[in-house]
Amino acid sequence: GVRAALGYDPLGTPPTAEALAAAAAKGNRSLTGGPIPTVTEEMHKQGYRWCRTCCIYRPPRASHCIECDNCVLDLDHHCPFVNNCIGKRNYAYFIGFVTSACCMVMWGMPLLVWYWAIGSPQADPGTGVVS
């Protein structure tokens, strides 16, 4: 796979000194600041692409987010409300956020309409009791 071809995990840890030396020895200057590497035909068929911004091989169905400036697996969108990308690792948390926001609106809107319909409670000037 990609880890064996590169000598390091492109989605995790940065390349080690040994991986840099091995890449330089093979003539792959992408890890040492050289030209952009090409994706092999086999990797291209598997869906891997080269990200020029992150300098990694993107796995299939990964996209680069301009807002976060990183590649995200199964990128759905960048949510301005949580200021984060919604992708594979946090999709369940985003669904929880949207569900809780909807529950809050379903509880708050009838309360607001009731407040507007009834009016704000007025205190009796003589006793100070809210009626």
Side-chain angles (χ1 to χ4, degrees):
V2 175
R3 185 180 298 183
L6 295 176
Y8 71 97
D9 182 10
L11 299 178
T13 59
T16 61
E18 294 83 22
L20 289 172
K26 289 180 186 176
N28 181 0
R29 295 184 301 157
S30 65
L31 298 177
T32 58
I36 296 172
T38 58
V39 178
T40 64
E41 188 65 33
E42 179 184 338
M43 290 174 65
H44 187 71
K45 286 179 184 177
Q46 293 175 356
Y48 289 92
R49 305 287 183 264
W50 176 254
C51 179
R52 292 183 176 136
T53 307
C54 297
C55 294
I56 63 167
Y57 289 100
R58 282 194 314 227
R61 297 182 10 204
S63 298
H64 188 84
C65 177
I66 297 170
E67 298 288 327
C68 293
D69 197 29
N70 61 4
C71 288
V72 179
L73 190 60
D74 291 340
L75 177 69
D76 189 311
H77 67 284
H78 182 87
C79 181
F81 300 109
V82 295
N83 194 26
N84 204 357
C85 289
I86 308 305
K88 184 174 186 172
R89 295 189 316 171
N90 63 354
Y91 200 72
Y93 297 109
F94 179 72
I95 294 297
F97 167 73
V98 170
T99 302
S100 64
C102 289
C103 289
M104 184 185 72
V105 168
M106 289 190 316
W107 175 80
M109 288 303 287
L111 190 64
L112 187 62
V113 169
W114 176 77
Y115 182 77
W116 283 338
I118 302 296
S120 61
Q122 300 294 323
D124 185 24
T127 61
V129 177
V130 176
S131 56

